[in-house]
């Protein structure tokens, strides 16, 4: 690999090579499978900045400046999920007073394979303005893996060519074209970089406009994943509450989710949500399943298509290298492999290294059925559900102890294969790392719920095996109580995992929230965990810390060892309401709403685990994806939880047990869906709920 200096690669001088680029101040516009990441002022200049298409950086640099003029960015940010607007004062130009006179406006739109920058220079001064505007553009055609590594790489592109009024770079995977309308005054090309020049003369009150269009043409045709067609497979939610931060969070989340949609090129009508930008803009089994489950109150179409996309790729054979096993649901699909730090070679493009996607697939099918998915669509997927159930006992429980566990037999894959999949995430209370095979506490809860969900489906559709899976779940519940529960000076609680020697790894974690409401715990056990989740060591005031601040190894900026993940907290809110602990649920929900307001309604993948006692705003995790699917869908799950929505369309009922706190009331939620029809719920200032649901459903409103 040809290592270049920061100056040669367009990196910011002094940038540290070999470090993952930070994103906390990036402005990211998204329309999967493309996105643009820039500085807050709109410049694409260093780090992870760029216009990306299909996990390849099409443009690494797009900087606009006025020759011999000091630029002063004054405003910039998102105008939607795929649009942004930036304004920069060109200081000293046409100024006769202390007031700025000339402003450069830069409007950005990102679309699949296309970046459009609409430029406007306006002279609001009283004298003419003469400006030479320059656009510097370049690319390295780096893969996402290369960008994330932080190591500057030599471009794999051919030398930039000038074609008419356009700059063109051609590589083996993608061809990039940057065109200008109108044509620039001058154009020049150097080694992998080019410049466009515009000589602009503006009388007082006049403006000048131009449009830059960058297109990325994929040499592979239409590989997986493919762009989704316009339209969304769910209703548009609308929320009006007493806290506009909640309303804005839901609104921005919906906009982001529309642009995270991708399609299966084998069946273009089947879509799913990409996990997040920039690092995970593809199919992830766990992420896509949780995101679809969280959106069920808006309709079942996304759940159905996500289930089909994953069923199409369900494991059929045993392959140590890919971790594929019969019945197993995959972890991720990428166009190329992914190299992990310290590992060689890369993960395969289709990788099955996940222990939880398979039970989550079963539960999503069950929950979609309960929300009104067409029984014919459910029935068509039941053979896949039976295969997934069989995987839990035949392969997921590798050593026959009755628990689902994982180990990377290849030595080249993910060391941890639950949602906390970083290598240092599973610990003992003193900070020691647990050694695999590892059985995670939340995965046992997923498996228990999946077994009961599968049994309900088998029985409802007159297929054999329901009794077997209910008995399997009962044995799991008994074993879990015996093997996982430990105790400290605050009382008993379940360990985060069992290690290779079946010792409980006794760290206190946010995993408690994933156990609640699944049926794995009784009421007394749930009450213990509800109290734990409300404690200051886990509840930061902005959401749940992944690891207790009292535990060894706690790091508020550790990926899974002290940070806050919105989806993790939302799952806890959901579990707490299902288990009957509304006070703890509403407190955690308030923390997420507080955090959403601090992040301009676009919650990131994760953020720092510093508490509200350490500052009024949450601290960004610098490399977090934003937008991120399950952080966005968390807004809907929190709304569902606070409204106390429980659907049972096969039996014709909908339960509404509002937990909406006084600071959110009055609240009106529309754009919801059940049984294919519209659902609207209003909670008055006094807490009473009014429900408008499709005819034929029995609505039970409980206090």
């Amino acid at each position: 690999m040809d290592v270049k200096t920061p100056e040669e690669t367009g990196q910011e001088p002094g940038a540290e090579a070999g470090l993952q680029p930070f994103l906390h101040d990036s402005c990211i516009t998204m329309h999967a499978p493309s996105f643009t990441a820039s500085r807050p002022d709109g410049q694409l200049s260093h780090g992870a900045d760029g216009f990306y298409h299909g996990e390849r950086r099409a443009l690494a640099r797009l900087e606009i400046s006025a020759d011999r003029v000091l630029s002063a960015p004054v405003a910039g940010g998102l105008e939607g999920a795929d649009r942004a607007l930036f304004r920069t004062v060109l200081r000293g130009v046409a100024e006769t007073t202390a007031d700025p006179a000339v402003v450069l406006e830069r409007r950005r739109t990102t679309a699949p394979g296309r970046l459009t920058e609409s430029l406007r220079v306006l002279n609001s001064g009283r004298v003419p303005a003469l400006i030479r505007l320059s656009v510097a553009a370049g690319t390295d055609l780096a893969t996402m893996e290369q960008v994330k590594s932080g190591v500057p790489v030599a471009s794999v592109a051919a030398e930039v060519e000038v074609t008419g009024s356009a700059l063109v770079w051609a590589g083996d995977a993608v061809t990039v074209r940057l065109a200008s309308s109108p044509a620039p005054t001058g154009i020049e090309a150097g080694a992998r970089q080019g410049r466009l020049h515009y000589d602009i003369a503006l009388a007082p009150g006049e403006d000048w406009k131009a449009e830059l269009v960058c297109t990325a043409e994929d040499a592979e045709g239409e590989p997986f994943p493919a762009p989704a067609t316009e339209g969304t497979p769910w209703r548009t939610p609308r929320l009006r509450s007493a806290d506009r931060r909640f309303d804005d969070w839901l609104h921005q989340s919906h906009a982001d989710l529309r642009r995270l949609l991708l399609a299966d090129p084998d069946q273009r009508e089947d879509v799913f949500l990409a996990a997040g930008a920039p690092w995970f803009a593809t199919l992830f089994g766990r992420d896509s399943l949780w995101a679809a489950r969280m959106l069920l109150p808006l309709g079942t179409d996304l759940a159905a298509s996500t289930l089909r996309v994953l069923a199409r790729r369900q494991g059929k054979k045993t392959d140590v290298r890919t971790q594929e096993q019969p019945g197993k649901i995959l972890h991720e699909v990428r166009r190329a492999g992914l190299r992990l730090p310290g590992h060689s070679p890369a993960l395969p493009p289709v990788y099955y290294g996940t222990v939880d996607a398979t039970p989550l697939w079963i539960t999503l099918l069950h929950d979609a059925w309960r929300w009104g998915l067409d029984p014919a669509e459910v029935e068509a997927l039941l053979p896949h559900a039976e295969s997934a159930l069989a995987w839990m006992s035949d392969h997921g429980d590798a050593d026959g102890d009755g628990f689902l566990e994982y180990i990377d037999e290849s030595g080249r894959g993910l060391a941890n294969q639950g949602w906390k999949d970083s290598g240092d995430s599973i610990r003992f209370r003193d900070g020691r790392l647990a050694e695999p095979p590892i059985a995670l506490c939340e995965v046992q809860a997923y498996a228990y719920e999946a077994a009961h969900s599968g049994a309900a489906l088998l029985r409802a559709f007159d297929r054999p095996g329901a009794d077997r899976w209910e008995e399997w779940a009962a044995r799991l519940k008994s074993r879990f109580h015996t093997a996982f529960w430990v105790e400290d000076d605050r009382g008993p609680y379940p360990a985060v995992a069992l290690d290779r020697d079946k010792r409980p790894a006794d760290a206190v974690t946010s995993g408690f929230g994933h156990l609640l409401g699944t049926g794995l715990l009784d009421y007394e056990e749930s009450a213990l965990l509800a109290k734990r989740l409300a404690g200051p060591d886990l509840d930061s005031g902005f959401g749940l810390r992944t690891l207790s601040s009292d535990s060894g190894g706690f790091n508020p900026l550790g990926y899974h060892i002290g940070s806050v993940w919105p989806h993790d907290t939302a799952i806890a809110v959901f579990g707490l309401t299902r288990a009957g602990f509304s006070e703890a649920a509403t407190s955690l929900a308030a923390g997420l709403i507080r955090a959403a307001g601090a992040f301009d309604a676009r919650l990131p993948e994760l953020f720092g685990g510093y508490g509200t006692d350490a500052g009024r705003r949450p601290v960004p995790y610098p490399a977090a994806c934003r937008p991120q699917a399950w952080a966005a869908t968390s807004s809907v799950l929190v709304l569902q939880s606070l409204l106390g929505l429980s659907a049972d369309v096969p039996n014709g009922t909908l339960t509404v047990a509002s937990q909406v706190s006084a600071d959110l009331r009055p609240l009106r939620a529309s754009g919801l869906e059940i049984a294919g029809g519209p659902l609207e719920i209003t909670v008055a200032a006094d807490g009473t709920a009014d429900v408008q649901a499709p005819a034929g459903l029995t609505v039970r409103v409980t206090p």
Side-chain angles (χ1 to χ4, degrees):
M1 188 159 53
D2 183 12
V3 179
K4 301 292 184 180
T5 66
E7 290 76 11
E8 288 176 305
T9 59
Q11 278 190 297
E12 183 180 31
E16 294 294 332
L19 298 177
Q20 181 176 347
F22 282 171
L23 304 166
H24 60 284
D25 59 347
S26 293
C27 179
I28 298 179
T29 55
M30 177 104 191
H31 195 154
S34 301
F35 64 88
T36 307
S38 75
R39 301 294 84 220
D41 61 1
Q43 304 282 44
L44 281 62
S45 58
H46 67 276
D49 291 354
F51 168 52
Y52 295 78
H53 177 67
E55 296 191 293
R56 180 78 66 163
R57 181 154 61 182
L59 272 185
R61 185 185 186 194
L62 191 64
E63 294 185 271
I64 303 174
S65 60
D67 292 2
R68 297 184 299 277
V69 172
L70 179 64
S71 297
V74 292
L78 294 174
E79 297 283 298
D82 55 3
R83 303 180 310 281
L85 171 62
F86 310 94
R87 288 191 173 93
T88 298
V89 171
L90 303 183
R91 299 202 62 182
V93 180
E95 293 178 0
T96 56
T97 69
D99 296 334
V102 178
V103 172
L104 167 64
E105 185 179 274
R106 183 173 179 174
R107 290 185 179 271
R108 172 174 301 150
T109 303
T110 302
R114 185 182 183 94
L115 166 66
T116 301
E117 299 265 337
S118 298
L119 310 181
R120 180 181 183 232
V121 180
L122 173 64
N123 180 10
S124 299
R126 294 186 295 161
V127 298
L130 294 175
I131 305 160
R132 184 172 175 83
L133 202 68
S134 294
V135 177
T139 186
D140 55 8
L141 296 188
T143 64
M144 186 58 66
E145 174 192 332
Q146 291 169 329
V147 174
K148 192 174 184 182
S149 74
V151 178
V153 297
S155 173
V156 296
E159 296 295 313
V160 61
E161 296 181 358
V162 177
T163 305
S165 60
L167 298 170
V168 179
W169 298 264
D172 58 351
V174 64
T175 297
V176 181
R177 176 184 175 89
L178 179 65
S180 170
S181 177
T185 307
I187 186 168
E188 58 188 73
R192 306 184 187 93
Q193 301 204 31
R195 285 184 179 271
L196 310 178
H197 301 288
Y198 304 88
D199 292 328
I200 304 168
L202 296 175
E206 284 188 342
D207 68 352
W208 168 89
K209 295 179 181 178
E211 187 173 83
L212 300 173
V213 177
C214 180
T215 56
E217 183 178 344
D218 201 317
E220 301 177 18
E222 190 174 65
F224 187 94
T229 57
E230 285 297 324
T232 51
W234 61 76
R235 292 181 186 256
T236 300
R238 294 181 177 84
L239 178 64
R240 176 65 70 174
S241 74
D243 191 332
R244 293 301 302 274
R245 296 174 300 180
F246 195 7
D247 308 355
D248 292 344
W249 179 26
L250 185 67
H251 177 78
Q252 180 65 50
S253 294
H254 175 257
D256 286 337
L257 291 167
R258 290 178 64 236
R259 294 311 187 208
L260 283 165
L261 273 175
L262 287 167
D264 185 343
D266 294 340
Q267 294 287 337
R268 288 297 297 269
E269 67 275 13
D270 281 343
V271 296
F272 59 90
L273 286 168
W279 313 126
F280 310 119
T282 186
L283 174 67
F284 277 75
R286 176 193 308 117
D287 299 55
S288 298
L289 288 164
W290 263 121
R293 187 179 181 188
M294 291 178 180
L295 284 190
L296 282 173
L298 307 184
T300 60
D301 287 351
L302 176 67
S305 62
T306 300
L307 288 163
R308 287 192 292 267
V309 169
L310 291 167
R312 216 165 275 137
R313 294 160 178 82
Q314 189 172 24
K316 296 180 175 61
K317 63 182 185 297
T318 299
D319 186 331
V320 171
R321 184 182 68 90
T322 66
Q323 302 281 286
E324 181 180 357
Q325 293 169 330
K328 194 176 187 182
I329 299 299
L330 59 79
H331 174 60
E332 66 180 285
V333 179
R334 291 185 182 270
R335 297 190 180 194
L338 178 68
R339 193 178 308 278
L340 300 174
H343 288 63
S344 180
L347 294 181
V350 181
Y351 179 59
Y352 287 80
T354 171
V355 71
D356 51 7
T358 307
L360 289 172
W361 190 98
I362 300 166
T363 303
L364 176 60
L365 178 62
H366 170 267
D367 287 5
W369 170 61
R370 297 256 301 185
W371 276 93
L373 180 60
D374 185 339
E377 294 189 62
V378 176
E379 191 164 22
L381 289 167
L382 287 180
H384 297 281
E386 290 169 326
S387 295
L389 286 165
W391 175 85
M392 291 200 304
S393 62
D394 297 347
H395 300 281
D397 179 15
D399 60 7
D401 68 345
F403 297 121
L404 268 64
E405 57 258 319
Y406 60 82
I407 185 170
D408 172 38
E409 295 177 334
S410 73
R412 297 167 176 169
L414 293 171
N416 285 314
Q417 298 185 0
W419 83 261
K420 298 175 183 176
D421 57 6
S422 53
D424 63 352
S425 61
I426 308 304
R427 296 171 174 260
F428 289 83
R429 187 169 45 188
D430 60 9
R432 287 176 296 122
L433 300 184
E435 295 293 334
I438 289 174
L440 296 171
C441 68
E442 70 266 23
V443 171
Q444 313 318 311
Y446 300 160
Y448 179 88
E449 189 172 20
H452 275 285
S453 295
L457 288 167
L458 295 174
R459 187 169 286 120
F461 287 86
D462 296 321
R463 299 174 80 101
D467 291 346
R468 174 198 172 190
W469 289 108
E470 288 173 343
E471 292 166 2
W472 186 90
R475 292 193 298 271
L476 173 61
K477 184 173 185 175
S478 175
R479 285 190 292 265
F480 184 88
H481 183 84
T482 300
F484 271 82
W485 281 82
V486 295
E487 192 166 355
D488 63 9
D489 56 4
R490 294 173 58 188
Y493 64 95
V496 64
L498 303 182
D499 74 354
R500 65 183 177 188
D501 298 318
K502 305 304 176 183
R503 294 174 302 181
D506 55 355
V508 173
T509 74
S510 61
F512 297 161
H514 294 241
L515 309 182
L516 293 167
T518 63
L520 184 65
L521 309 177
D522 60 29
Y523 182 82
E524 290 73 19
E525 292 169 337
S526 297
L528 290 171
L529 299 195
K531 185 177 181 180
R532 287 271 188 170
L533 289 170
D537 60 319
L538 285 176
D539 184 0
S540 72
F542 296 118
L544 283 176
R545 298 182 177 98
T546 43
L547 180 67
S548 165
S549 58
D550 295 336
S551 291
F554 169 76
N555 177 0
L557 289 176
Y559 198 55
H560 292 124
I561 52 172
S563 61
V564 174
W565 289 64
H567 88 282
D568 186 33
T569 301
I571 290 170
V573 171
F574 183 54
L576 285 163
T577 55
R578 288 203 294 173
F581 300 95
S582 60
E583 184 176 350
T586 55
S587 176
L588 288 177
L592 281 184
I593 293 169
R594 190 178 299 119
F599 283 107
D600 296 326
R602 180 185 261 188
L603 274 179
E605 173 190 16
L606 71 157
F607 50 88
Y610 299 95
T612 50
D613 58 344
R616 297 177 59 187
R617 298 175 63 86
V619 175
Y621 179 84
C625 288
R626 187 168 176 248
Q628 208 261 0
W630 59 13
T633 55
S634 292
S635 61
V636 179
L637 186 62
V638 167
L639 178 62
Q640 175 188 347
S641 302
L642 295 182
L643 292 173
L645 298 183
S646 178
D648 188 3
V649 172
N651 290 310
T653 63
L654 168 69
T655 301
V656 179
S658 173
Q659 313 293 328
V660 177
S661 56
D663 57 322
L664 294 177
R665 302 194 301 253
L667 178 148
R668 178 175 176 268
S670 59
L672 308 178
E673 179 178 306
I674 185 170
L679 173 65
E680 181 176 312
I681 301 173
T682 302
V683 181
D686 64 0
T688 58
D690 177 72
V691 182
Q692 303 296 319
L697 277 179
T698 299
V699 179
R700 298 171 179 165
V701 180
T702 63

